[in-house]
Structures are given as C-alpha cells and as structure tokens.
Amino acid sequence: QVQLQESGPGLVEPSQTLSLTCSVSGVSFTSTGYFWTWIRQQPGKTLEYIGRIYHSGTTYFNPSLKSRVAMSVDTSKNQFSLRLSAVTAADTAVYYCARYYYRDHYLDGWGQGTLVTVSS
Amino acid sequence: QSALTQPASVSGSPGQSITISCTGTNSDIGDFDFVSWYQQHPGKAPKLVIYEVTNRPSGISWRFSGSKSGNTASLTISGLQAGDEADYYCSSYTNRGSLGVFGTGTQVTVL
C-alpha cells in the first residue's frame, strides 16, 4: 500500500518560493505507469491539479500554474518535490501529494496534506 | 477548466441509500470512462473508492457503486453507515489539455 507524506514550511512570505517534499514508502518509486502528483485545495474551493512527474523526470503541469511551477524527483530517497515561485495569498492552500495511475487516470494514494499559508 | 458539478450536500438515515451526482461535459465524463470518486473524512487524506466509473479498489465495501449516463456520473452508497459521513469528490480525465478535473465536492451527512 502506497504511503505518502508531505513536508515543508507552513508559512511562506509573498513573492517568495513555496517548497514542499513528498516522501514515498510502501511501493516501488519507479513502478511503470505511475506518476507522482501535486494537488492543492484552496480555502472553500475544490481540488486542483498542480502537476505530475514520472520517475524519469518527465513532467506535466497545470497550464494556469506552469510559469511558476517546478518539480523534481530523487529516486535515491524515494522523494519528489514541488517548487512554486512568486507566491501570493491566492496560493494559500492545503497541498497534497499523491500517486496517479496514468493508464486509467486515477489517484490511488494520497498524503495527509499540509497547509501552506502565504503571509508576511 | 471548470470543475465538475456536484450537489453541495446529501443526507440520509442509517441503512438508506443515497446517490451523489457529478455533471461534466462532452470533453470529460461524456467522452471517457475515466471517472473516479474519492472519500475524505475531516483532516484525513482523500481515499479512492471508485475508479473507471464502476470499479472498486481492493478493500472498498460493496456498498459503494458507480455509474454513468451521458455527461453525468453517479456514486451510490447503499446501507448508509455513520462512518460514511465525509466529503466526496468526483474526478474525470479530460481532453481539454489540463491534467484532469475534479468535482465541486459533496458533504454526506448521516442523520
């Protein structure tokens, strides 16, 4: 059973870069067909894809966030990371990491989520 | 990409059945059988309960079932139990160039 855990600062200042890491356990980090994914939920809103990354480093981003998003993987540590630059208060959200099965397009494991607040 | 439309809340008594609808467009639900449903208890991680419209992952109760007609998918919970009280989100693959689309979410209350 896949287990994921987000980590990173809970408070980021406006215009700075939000950085989060997701640690994966319970499954092979390099399994074929699975993408590692970031999703967020802004207060009072529904879930929103930020981006996904394959263990090879191939990435796909939400077009609305693409200019500010970077993702990376560290296969030696079974971790993947998110960087979101030039944050504003609108980026305040609960950020989830999850595993996405590419063939059938569903998320079969999620982290607990971490609240990131953008404020000075 | 607009969110899929779900009712804000649905309620039922223990033992009853409830159905949550999820309405999309011809670019997502209407054209693809890649609808999934997620259950989220307060403060907990979302959990997959249905994938590919009708399939239940291992360990998910038979009381959860999914269906689709046209642009609308549905999640039915039979024999409602107190532990089913949670938020439920639908999601679908889309050919509109985004990574996928989620529903607006439905809060299920067991009376």
Side-chain angles (χ1 to χ4, degrees), chain B residues 8-99:
Chain B
S9 63
V10 172
S11 62
S13 300
Q16 288 186 330
S17 293
I18 61 168
T19 297
I20 304 168
S21 62
C22 171
T23 302
T25 69
N26 288 332
S27 296
D28 39 67
I29 294 176
D31 219 25
F32 302 97
D33 287 336
F34 296 125
V35 177
S36 50
W37 289 89
Y38 304 90
Q39 175 192 63
Q40 186 178 31
H41 290 106
K44 300 293 187 182
K47 177 180 170 183
L48 178 70
V49 294
I50 292 288
Y51 66 97
E52 285 185 277
V53 180
T54 62
N55 295 328
R56 279 189 310 276
S58 174
I60 298 300
S61 171
W62 62 269
R63 299 185 300 104
F64 291 86
S65 61
S67 62
K68 189 186 90 166
S69 177
N71 294 340
T72 299
S74 299
L75 173 69
T76 297
I77 308 175
S78 306
L80 201 60
Q81 299 178 357
D84 299 331
E85 195 163 277
D87 291 330
Y88 291 82
Y89 293 91
C90 60
S91 182
S92 175
Y93 173 81
T94 175
N95 63 6
R96 283 192 170 178
S98 74
L99 302 182

Side-chain angles (χ1 to χ4, degrees), chain A residues 26-97:
Chain A
V27 296
S28 170
F29 190 75
T30 57
S31 293
T32 300
Y34 290 94
F35 276 73
W36 303 105
T37 302
W38 288 99
I39 293 160
R40 71 180 183 180
Q41 186 169 30
Q42 297 156 301
K45 295 190 176 182
T46 188
L47 300 157
E48 176 186 35
Y49 279 104
I50 300 172
R52 60 176 73 112
I53 186 167
Y54 202 55
H55 58 78
S56 63
T58 299
T59 53
Y60 298 94
F61 298 131
N62 183 328
S64 68
L65 298 170
K66 188 175 182 178
S67 64
R68 299 193 292 128
V69 174
M71 294 177 65
S72 60
V73 292
D74 186 336
T75 56
S76 67
K77 294 182 179 179
N78 289 352
Q79 292 179 335
F80 63 105
S81 298
L82 167 71
R83 289 172 59 86
L84 181 65
S85 62
V87 297
T88 69
D91 295 309
T92 293
V94 175
Y95 286 77
Y96 295 97
C97 59

